[in-house]
């Protein structure tokens, strides 16, 4: 009997500890933040006629346009694991892009929104020196803002997109190099807008920014 009486307090303490652990675990589970649902991928509508110059048929240029579109969508929804982005943009560049909204949130600013892909006027496109590489030179307009509105004035600057072609055939932008000596003062890059138009960002927490990570598309 003495042993039974002595074991009862220990038993009650064990039950109490178990209940406390369950309560704490349940509370933590309830507080765990889930990933925000990603909005549907928007359509793109050209303002006026779509660009039709011969260079637009170049595979390197086609890949640039796909990447610029995916980059803008990813920035608008703060999700840098979109399949469209991973298929068109290298990991290092995706990582750099994901830091932009993170920096905005850290500075208590509203993350920038793009009304459409950055307007781009390609001037030259060619394969690079190394196999599976390429370059596209042209004039680009960076038009991101915290409201997502189209600016009254569009100022283009020179840029070179360094490209790669993966073994599976995908062509991606891997880096962006400014070309300050490229004269874009009279360039008029074609404009395209997202439909529906993106809303101003409501992201205020860094946890709502889905950072870039290595994907199955990236080379080993």
């Amino acid at each position: 009997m003495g042993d039974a009486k002595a074991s009862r307090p220990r038993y009650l303490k064990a039950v109490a500890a178990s209940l406390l652990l369950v309560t704490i675990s349940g509370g933590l589970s309830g507080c765990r933040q889930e990933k925000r649902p990603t909005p549907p991928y928007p359509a793109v509508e050209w303002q006026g006629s779509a660009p039709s110059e011969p260079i637009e048929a170049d595979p390197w240029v086609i890949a640039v346009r796909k990447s610029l579109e995916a980059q803008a969508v990813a920035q608008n929804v703060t999700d840098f694991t979109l399949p469209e982005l991973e298929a068109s943009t290298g990991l290092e560049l995706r990582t750099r892009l994901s830091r932009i909204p993170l920096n905005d949130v850290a500075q208590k600013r509203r993350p920038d929104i793009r009304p459409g892909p950055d307007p781009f006027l390609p001037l030259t496109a060619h394969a690079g020196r190394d196999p599976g590489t390429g370059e596209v030179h042209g004039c680009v307009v960076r038009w991101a803002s915290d409201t997502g509105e189209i600016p009254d004035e569009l100022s283009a600057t020179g840029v070179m997109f360094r490209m790669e072609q993966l073994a599976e055939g995908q062509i991606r932008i891997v880096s962006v190099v400014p070309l300050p000596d490229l004269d874009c003062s009279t360039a008029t890059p074609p404009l395209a807008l997202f439909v529906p138009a993106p809303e101003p960002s409501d992201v205020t927490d860094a946890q709502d920014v889905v950072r870039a990570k290595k994907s199955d598309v990236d080379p080993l």
Side-chain angles (χ1 to χ4, degrees):
M1 292 294 293
D3 292 340
K5 289 181 179 180
S7 64
R8 184 173 179 81
R10 290 197 296 268
Y11 170 76
L12 292 176
K13 287 181 181 179
V15 171
S18 298
L19 291 174
L20 179 61
L21 180 60
V22 170
T23 302
I24 293 175
S25 301
L28 291 176
S29 298
C31 294
R32 188 178 295 117
Q33 189 168 1
E34 296 183 358
K35 176 182 173 182
R36 291 157 57 98
T38 301
Y41 201 85
V44 174
E45 289 188 358
W46 291 101
Q47 305 304 289
S49 58
S52 57
E53 291 76 8
I55 195 173
E56 294 290 340
D58 188 286
W60 301 107
V61 173
I62 293 173
V64 165
R65 292 217 179 276
K66 288 182 179 179
S67 179
L68 291 177
E69 177 183 313
Q71 290 179 40
V73 174
Q75 181 168 331
N76 290 349
V77 301
T78 60
D79 186 345
F80 296 88
T81 62
L82 297 179
E84 295 86 354
L85 183 68
E86 294 176 343
S88 63
T89 311
L91 176 58
E92 183 177 349
L93 181 53
R94 300 198 311 268
T95 302
R96 289 178 53 197
L97 292 170
S98 68
R99 295 192 187 113
I100 297 174
L102 288 171
N103 290 337
D104 287 335
V105 171
Q107 297 296 323
K108 307 299 183 183
R109 296 193 302 261
R110 177 185 289 172
D112 280 347
I113 295 292
R114 303 189 197 185
D118 282 346
F120 178 61
L121 180 67
L123 300 177
T124 63
H126 55 82
R129 295 180 178 179
D130 298 324
T133 66
E135 295 180 2
V136 178
H137 297 208
C139 300
V140 69
V141 174
R142 302 299 189 186
W143 62 356
S145 69
D146 61 352
T147 62
E149 296 179 355
I150 302 174
D152 294 332
E153 296 185 5
L154 300 177
S155 178
T157 57
V159 69
M160 173 179 70
F161 294 113
R162 288 201 174 106
M163 316 292 295
E164 69 175 358
Q165 184 168 23
L166 303 178
E168 294 76 11
Q170 300 102 320
I171 299 178
R172 311 194 300 179
I173 295 178
V174 292
S175 65
V176 183
V177 180
L179 296 179
D181 294 334
L182 182 60
D183 184 11
C184 293
S185 58
T186 60
T188 55
L191 307 183
L193 301 178
F194 290 131
V195 179
E199 298 287 339
S201 177
D202 62 352
V203 171
T204 58
D205 191 328
Q207 293 187 39
D208 289 332
V209 178
V210 184
R211 308 184 189 197
K213 61 183 179 181
K214 187 175 178 61
S215 73
D216 294 338
V217 181
D218 297 314
L220 297 177

